[in-house]
Amino acid sequence: MLTLAPFTFCANNVPGTDPLRAMDMARRCGFHTIELSAIDGISEQIVAERVSPEYVMQIERELQKRDLQCTALSAHCDMTDEAQFARLLKKIEFAGQIGAQLVNTRCGPKARYAVFEEHVKRAAEAADRYGLRLGLESYGDIVGPASECGGVFAELNLPHVQYTYDPGNTYRFCRGEIRLDEDLQNASVPVAYLHMKDGSIHDGYIWNEPIGQGVFPYPAMLAALERQGGTLGCALEMPMSFCVSVRDLSFRFLEPPDEQLYAQIMQSVEYVKTLAHVTM
């Protein structure tokens, strides 16, 4: 049985821009580690422009009040966009100062690969200064399904740049036309970190659902991941604050109440515990 350690709460589970609300939900659900959220245009609970020693200390105090540790940062952006990349560097600075081990991001359009290559090397250098790993997430752009993206990592050849697998993003950008278990069974690069989502398509939208209640074949997926190694870092990320149009991948934002968030997160945790050992 695969061990998920740490099994982390992703702040992107909680809608809005208030990191304290996300921290409170993480502790209520029994987590001791959190992946804070600084996702451009979607979940900006950590704000790049505010990063300073004082801001980091403020967030760190709030984490300590709740007996939480920030182990990772969701810092997704288009790395080929100069302004977004500048913000990513500030997010890396935040992650390093807060004591995280990992910064996750997406990459950018394949047509701008040369810019991405230059920027990812600079981002890796910035991360290295803090002892951080940089996770390139499966997002349907330069880095996509596990079976297809090994060449990108081989070409970059950057030891601390790793592959973060997000089945929800992979499913979304393939518009449901992918077997996620087969994708992992045929992985061309090791999966170093998992963003655990579930989902399905109905009413013209791709929905994020509690783990085990969507169509993702998690028993087979986790079995494939176990074969590459017995322990894997994982963040439970089931953002019920939006769904995505199948037609054009545009976002429709939602506002589920906290009691619904809590109930569905706990349903997910209980289901995951039937499939894997978890260290929360």
Side-chain angles (χ1 to χ4, degrees):
M1 184 178 282
L2 183 66
T3 296
L4 302 175
F7 185 52
T8 296
F9 182 92
C10 192
N12 187 32
N13 293 330
V14 178
T17 58
D18 183 1
L20 305 188
R21 182 183 174 196
M23 293 179 200
D24 287 341
M25 184 61 71
R27 283 304 294 126
R28 184 181 177 190
C29 294
F31 288 83
H32 287 89
T33 58
I34 189 168
E35 180 170 340
L36 292 173
S37 190
I39 303 174
D40 284 2
I42 297 175
S43 180
E44 295 189 63
Q45 297 170 3
I46 300 300
V47 183
E49 287 75 15
R50 295 186 62 189
V51 172
S52 65
E54 294 75 22
Y55 181 65
V56 174
M57 288 176 59
Q58 174 189 334
I59 297 296
E60 190 167 30
R61 281 195 299 268
E62 297 297 340
L63 290 167
Q64 290 172 348
K65 285 179 187 177
R66 296 161 176 84
D67 191 25
L68 283 170
Q69 180 184 0
C70 173
T71 52
L73 182 70
S74 285
H76 304 43
C77 69
D78 178 350
M79 291 179 68
T80 71
D81 178 278
E82 293 292 343
Q84 292 185 45
F85 178 68
R87 298 183 82 234
L88 174 63
L89 294 179
K90 294 298 291 183
K91 296 172 191 179
I92 290 171
E93 179 184 334
F94 171 88
Q97 292 183 8
I98 205 79
Q101 291 90 49
L102 171 67
V103 174
N104 287 310
T105 183
R106 64 181 180 91
C107 300
K110 295 177 181 178
R112 292 178 56 79
Y113 185 86
V115 178
F116 159 75
E117 187 174 27
E118 175 193 345
H119 283 180
V120 74
K121 290 175 180 177
R122 288 174 54 193
E125 289 173 1
D128 284 347
R129 286 197 289 272
Y130 294 102
L132 290 165
R133 293 167 289 128
L134 186 67
L136 304 183
E137 188 162 318
S138 58
Y139 209 83
D141 51 10
I142 288 169
V143 168
S147 57
E148 299 176 5
C149 65
V152 174
F153 290 89
E155 183 176 342
L156 292 175
N157 193 28
L158 296 168
H160 297 116
V161 175
Q162 65 178 39
Y163 183 46
T164 292
Y165 192 73
D166 188 314
N169 291 346
T170 306
Y171 181 84
R172 181 200 316 167
F173 284 96
C174 293
R175 290 174 166 82
E177 299 297 320
I178 187 170
R179 282 285 304 272
L180 294 168
D181 52 342
E182 291 181 358
D183 186 41
L184 288 170
Q185 289 160 7
N186 296 298
S188 56
V189 62
V191 173
Y193 192 78
L194 177 66
H195 270 162
M196 183 174 278
K197 286 191 180 83
D198 207 338
S200 65
I201 296 174
H202 56 89
D203 302 323
Y205 285 89
I206 302 164
W207 300 83
N208 299 303
E209 292 164 320
I211 312 301
Q213 296 185 28
V215 300
F216 297 4
Y218 264 102
M221 290 164 60
L222 294 183
L225 290 167
E226 184 183 9
R227 285 193 287 273
Q228 74 160 36
T231 302
L232 183 67
C234 174
L236 180 70
E237 184 189 13
M238 36 181 293
M240 292 169 286
S241 56
F242 61 81
C243 56
V244 178
S245 168
V246 176
R247 181 178 59 85
D248 61 6
L249 300 183
S250 61
F251 281 69
R252 172 184 162 196
F253 288 97
L254 311 167
E255 280 290 338
D258 280 0
E259 288 309 311
Q260 179 185 345
L261 293 173
Y262 173 73
Q264 296 190 347
I265 290 166
M266 294 310 298
Q267 289 169 20
S268 299
V269 170
E270 292 308 310
Y271 176 73
V272 173
K273 285 180 177 179
T274 69
L275 301 178
H277 300 295
V278 300
T279 301
M280 297 171 64

